[in-house]
Amino acid sequence: MRIGWRTQCCEEFGGTIAAPRLVFLITDLLETGIGVQHIFAARLNSIDLDARTGSEFTKPERGGYEVVRVPFTAEAVRALR
């Protein structure tokens, strides 16, 4: 999983992370079995939006991928919907 976190962060934000921690484990009963999602929080050390490499950025039909910066305060996080 550790390689996946770093790869996703690099592709999506052109960024690097530190200290990832599991914060939620979600399980769902699916028609094909049990679905599991691991939700992590990590410190974002750096970001370079020009360095994003995910394939979705070359497919305009999939929409935009705008990064929205939100202050890390309880009030700001609660307002996210």
Side-chain angles (χ1 to χ4, degrees):
M1 265 192 242
R2 183 166 289 164
I3 292 170
W5 306 319
R6 297 185 194 295
T7 300
Q8 280 301 113
C9 186
C10 184
E11 287 179 1
E12 303 295 331
F13 299 110
T16 60
I17 60 170
R21 298 284 185 258
L22 181 67
V23 292
F24 293 108
L25 179 65
I26 301 169
T27 58
D28 295 300
L29 183 57
L30 307 173
E31 290 180 15
T32 57
I34 302 289
V36 178
Q37 298 179 61
H38 298 84
I39 310 298
F40 289 84
R43 177 180 303 275
L44 182 61
N45 285 338
S46 66
I47 188 169
D48 179 358
L49 298 179
D50 292 329
R52 298 188 292 183
T53 61
S55 62
E56 64 272 20
F57 300 112
T58 62
K59 298 177 181 175
E61 67 275 11
R62 294 186 70 185
Y65 293 88
E66 179 182 345
V67 172
V68 177
R69 296 172 190 252
V70 178
F72 192 56
T73 63
E75 181 180 359
V77 171
R78 274 193 300 272
L80 296 173
R81 300 271 173 192

